[in-house]
Amino acid sequence: MRAFKKKIVLDQDSRPVGVLLEYEDWLEIERILAPLQESEPQGDLSRFAGTLSLKEDPLAYQQACRDEWP
């Protein structure tokens, strides 16, 4: 794969917030990724339906986890 010229955009705290690319490079990236975006999800997950058994209510568990946060 070829290397693309890019410029990383930083915020006022010098954290990366975006990337600037040449338009032609962006078109090339879209062309490369297009076959991946059109493919169907692989695998049938229906065989896992109903296989999870919980020992407590999911909402109660979520609330208990959130209560642990500072």
Side-chain angles (χ1 to χ4, degrees):
M1 182 188 297
R2 72 177 249 223
F4 296 103
K5 292 190 311 185
K6 59 189 174 286
K7 179 181 178 185
I8 298 177
V9 180
L10 305 175
D11 67 6
Q12 61 190 12
D13 296 322
S14 297
R15 293 181 301 221
V17 294
V19 178
L20 297 177
L21 297 168
E22 295 291 326
Y23 184 69
E24 292 78 21
D25 290 344
W26 174 250
L27 292 176
E28 178 68 12
I29 291 169
E30 283 189 327
R31 186 191 65 75
I32 292 169
L33 294 177
L36 299 174
Q37 294 174 342
E38 295 170 0
S39 65
E40 291 291 322
Q42 297 178 354
D44 179 20
L45 300 180
S46 64
R47 62 189 167 120
F48 297 109
T51 59
L52 183 65
S53 58
L54 303 174
K55 296 183 175 153
E56 69 179 288
D57 177 56
L59 293 177
Y61 176 79
Q62 181 184 36
Q63 186 61 48
C65 288
R66 288 184 175 178
D67 288 343
E68 294 174 0
W69 295 353

